[in-house]
Amino acid sequence: MEQLFKEHFGTLIATLITGFGGWFFGRKKAAAEVEASQIENAEKLLEFYKNLADDLGKRLENAIKEFNDAKKIISELEEKVEDLTTELRKYKQLNGKLQ
């Protein structure tokens, strides 16, 4: 057993040193990759909200235009109702005088 341990001791040490070296020097790279990924995600999120805000702005402009058009139509209809009411009063007055 001792001989087996002596034969493979160098391999074990080399493996441990290689593993530690890989971890030690690889952690900066891993941290940089994580940071790059976070920046990329933030850029995508920023683009998404920019598109969302632009779309909402266009919808608001359309809604304001439709609202102003509806106000104009309502004003026209109110004017027509007033004209028809005036005309109806005239007919009622004429009808009252004729009887």
Side-chain angles (χ1 to χ4, degrees), residues 42-52:
E43 288 174 351
K44 288 179 183 179
L45 193 60
L46 180 65
E47 184 68 25
F48 172 76
Y49 281 116
K50 180 182 175 284
N51 290 338
L52 185 65

Side-chain angles (χ1 to χ4, degrees), residues 32-72:
E33 288 175 352
V34 167
E35 186 175 340
S37 175
Q38 288 175 344
I39 290 171
E40 185 178 321
N41 288 341
E43 288 174 351
K44 288 179 183 179
L45 193 60
L46 180 65
E47 184 68 25
F48 172 76
Y49 281 116
K50 180 182 175 284
N51 290 338
L52 185 65
D54 290 344
D55 183 51
L56 288 175
K58 289 176 186 175
R59 286 184 182 190
L60 180 61
E61 288 175 8
N62 288 339
I64 289 172
K65 183 182 179 294
E66 288 177 7
F67 177 73
N68 288 335
D69 291 345
K71 278 177 50 175
K72 182 180 176 185

Side-chain angles (χ1 to χ4, degrees), residues 76-92:
E76 291 172 0
L77 290 174
E78 286 175 341
E79 188 176 316
K80 283 182 183 181
V81 167
E82 189 63 36
D83 291 343
L84 289 171
T85 303
T86 303
E87 191 175 333
L88 181 62
R89 285 188 189 128
K90 288 179 186 177
Y91 282 123
K92 282 184 178 181

